[in-house]
Amino acid sequence: MIKILIIEDDSSIAELQKDYLEVAGFEIKVCADGSEGLRDLRENHYDLLIVDIMLPGMDGFEILRSIKDEKEIPVLLVSARKEEIDKIKGLSLGADDYVTKPFSPGELVARVNAHLDNYERLKNRFSESTKMNKSLTIRGLRIDKDARRVYIHDQEVNLAQKEFDLLMYLAQNPNRVFGREDLFERLWGQDAMGDSATVTVHIARVREKIENDPSNPQYIETVWGAGYRFRV
């Protein structure tokens, strides 16, 4: 049975979510404290996380920062806050969706099902090619991880080391938004010379080499105010 963790301190909302999701066939665990929820998430297996932003102990943003390198599961961020900056921040930290309170329980169930289906599809599509060091192919783009070569419609394009690393990293994490600072830290390291503007330059160079129209990219999209994602 698919297991879902809800981290929500409003008991009435948590119980409503729990009831509807259990009727839909999911196994549900509820935590009312952010720190407790993070500990539970690390110690147990869950297939999806629903987390509020405003929580005692640790807020939803902190939880996202803590798990983004540890857990590969869909995350739905829930909040009464409607400011666009909160949505952008949540998505840039790895949330897959942002649900604003009040919301329809039926809509929540539909979103949960959609994200679970999408995650399973992506996992099956990319696991064999990327996790087992085989080539990744999508819409005419082929990345050979072992040989560190990239082809567009069977024509090889030459990427510099960091350009290849950047493309490969985004492709291995499809549909996930990464901020410039996050990408710089992950690929260049905290002690590297330079700043996150380096990422923008490298993104532009990669687009020039792999995109048919770099001004209208089909592979590496810009999510305005949040960062970049590899579209599948």
Side-chain angles (χ1 to χ4, degrees):
M1 181 179 291
I2 293 175
K3 298 177 64 176
I4 297 174
L5 175 64
I6 298 173
I7 309 179
E8 169 65 68
D9 64 327
D10 187 320
S11 60
S12 60
I13 292 177
E15 285 303 313
L16 184 64
Q17 293 176 349
K18 182 174 183 290
D19 289 345
Y20 270 79
L21 289 168
E22 285 182 337
V23 169
F26 302 113
E27 181 179 338
I28 307 299
K29 172 71 180 292
V30 175
C31 289
D33 177 89
S35 299
E36 175 189 344
L38 177 60
R39 183 168 55 253
D40 194 312
L41 183 62
R42 283 172 165 165
E43 293 176 353
N44 299 286
H45 168 76
Y46 291 100
D47 299 287
L48 183 139
L49 170 66
I50 301 174
V51 57
D52 192 9
I53 290 181
M54 303 301 293
L55 293 165
M58 174 183 288
D59 68 27
F61 292 140
E62 292 179 277
I63 292 172
L64 287 175
R65 289 191 190 95
S66 298
I67 67 169
K68 64 182 179 181
D69 290 326
E70 302 175 12
K71 295 287 184 178
E72 293 186 0
I73 61 172
V75 178
L76 274 66
L77 198 59
V78 177
S79 178
R81 294 160 61 169
K82 301 180 181 180
E83 292 80 1
E84 185 178 8
I85 187 64
D86 291 318
K87 297 180 181 181
I88 291 173
K89 185 176 181 180
L91 293 172
S92 67
L93 288 172
D96 296 275
D97 204 349
Y98 191 103
V99 184
T100 304
K101 299 177 183 177
F103 53 83
S104 160
E107 178 188 352
L108 178 67
V109 172
R111 292 195 186 205
V112 165
N113 280 317
H115 284 291
L116 286 169
D117 290 345
N118 186 53
Y119 178 73
E120 188 64 26
R121 178 179 62 83
L122 291 175
K123 185 172 67 174
N124 291 337
R125 186 172 186 175
F126 284 89
S127 60
E128 292 185 1
S129 60
T130 62
K131 302 299 183 182
M132 299 178 65
N133 294 327
K134 296 181 180 179
S135 64
L136 181 157
T137 303
I138 180 168
R139 298 194 309 278
L141 171 67
R142 178 161 62 91
I143 306 173
D144 189 326
K145 184 176 180 181
D146 287 343
R148 294 181 65 85
R149 289 184 170 181
V150 176
Y151 303 84
I152 290 290
H153 303 298
D154 295 325
Q155 295 295 315
E156 184 172 5
V157 293
N158 295 316
L159 268 62
Q161 177 182 341
K162 284 300 182 185
E163 293 170 0
F164 180 89
D165 292 342
L166 180 59
L167 175 62
M168 192 69 213
Y169 185 77
L170 290 170
Q172 285 182 308
N173 296 276
N175 288 345
R176 181 176 172 183
V177 179
F178 292 97
R180 292 194 315 174
E181 291 78 8
D182 193 13
L183 288 169
F184 184 78
E185 181 178 325
R186 289 167 183 264
L187 297 175
W188 277 264
Q190 291 180 325
D191 300 326
M193 298 294 291
D195 57 36
S196 61
T198 301
V199 174
T200 303
V201 174
H202 280 72
I203 290 286
R205 289 175 179 170
V206 173
R207 283 174 172 166
E208 287 291 338
K209 295 176 180 181
I210 70 170
E211 299 283 0
N212 182 51
D213 179 5
S215 64
N216 183 31
Q218 302 300 305
Y219 298 108
I220 301 177
E221 294 182 323
T222 297
V223 180
W224 296 110
Y228 305 98
R229 69 179 166 206
F230 187 88
R231 185 173 69 85
V232 296

